[in-house]
Amino acid sequence: MGKIVLLGDRYTVSLFKTMGAEGKTVEDPFILEKEIDSIKKRDDVDLVLITRDIYEPVREKIDSIVSTLTKPLITVIPSPFSESKPIDVKKMVLKALGFG
């Protein structure tokens, strides 16, 4: 099974690290594209989680990257500093299977 990598604030990264995921604290949203590029090159990563607070400022740029990737699956999750919205799990699973 592949690894899960979280890119986000230090609180959320610490939480996910205690659950066994990799994590990298990203304080500047404008380096998010560089971080994703380095993770894309790894064969051992299947899922990248990005906290909403660092995703929102660079949404258009990240969406264009995500739309061209088949692996790893990249998804946005809420953080303590962002407003949460319901996650469409069915859509996320279908995308991971190549149907979305």
Side-chain angles (χ1 to χ4, degrees), residues 46-94:
D46 284 339
L47 178 62
V48 177
L49 303 173
I50 303 172
T51 55
R52 188 173 310 282
D53 56 321
I54 64 162
Y55 163 78
E56 287 297 333
V58 291
R59 171 183 225 139
E60 291 83 24
K61 191 171 256 192
I62 301 306
D63 284 348
S64 68
I65 294 169
V66 170
S67 67
T68 62
L69 286 177
T70 55
K71 185 181 174 189
L73 174 64
I74 298 176
T75 192
V76 178
I77 63 169
S79 74
F81 310 108
S82 64
E83 189 177 307
S84 65
K85 297 177 185 175
I87 297 172
D88 187 348
V89 176
K90 181 179 178 181
K91 182 178 178 181
M92 190 169 63
V93 169
L94 287 173

